[in-house]
């Protein structure tokens, strides 16, 4: 299922200010966890074949290493093909 179909609305980029308001983090380093309030998470299945994936760690120049399998678990997110 595509992200737009799952959410029932078009999916696209949003303003940096809205990202910061929702996450408390700047675009370019938004972490999948640690937000001021719970956010619905969609985890793209594109990196599923890699041994390690890198995710934002809360600051524009910080990342952390994890596995694809850990992302849905840590975010309580739904895995789907975001690009489809």
């Amino acid at each position: 299922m595509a992200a737009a179909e799952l959410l029932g609305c078009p999916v696209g980029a949003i303003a940096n200010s809205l990202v910061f308001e929702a996450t408390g983090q700047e675009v370019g380093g938004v972490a999948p966890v640690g937000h001021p309030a719970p956010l619905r998470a969609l985890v793209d299945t594109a990196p599923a074949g890699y041994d390690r994936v890198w995710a934002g760690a809360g600051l524009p120049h910080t990342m952390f290493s994890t596995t694809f399998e850990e992302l849905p678990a840590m975010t309580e997110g739904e895995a789907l093909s975001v690009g489809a």
Side-chain angles (χ1 to χ4, degrees):
M1 175 179 294
E5 184 181 355
L6 176 69
L7 298 173
C9 64
V11 175
I14 63 171
N16 292 356
S17 60
L18 291 176
V19 173
F20 186 80
E21 182 181 320
T23 67
Q25 302 166 19
E26 294 180 25
V27 170
V30 176
V33 295
H35 308 133
L39 295 174
R40 184 173 185 185
L42 303 179
V43 180
D44 192 359
T45 56
Y50 294 96
D51 291 334
R52 303 300 294 170
V53 296
W54 293 88
L59 297 169
H61 300 291
T62 59
M63 305 289 285
F64 72 96
S65 175
T66 187
T67 66
F68 172 78
E69 291 77 17
E70 290 173 329
L71 284 174
M74 75 174 69
T75 62
E76 298 180 11
E78 302 165 67
L80 74 154
S81 179
V82 174

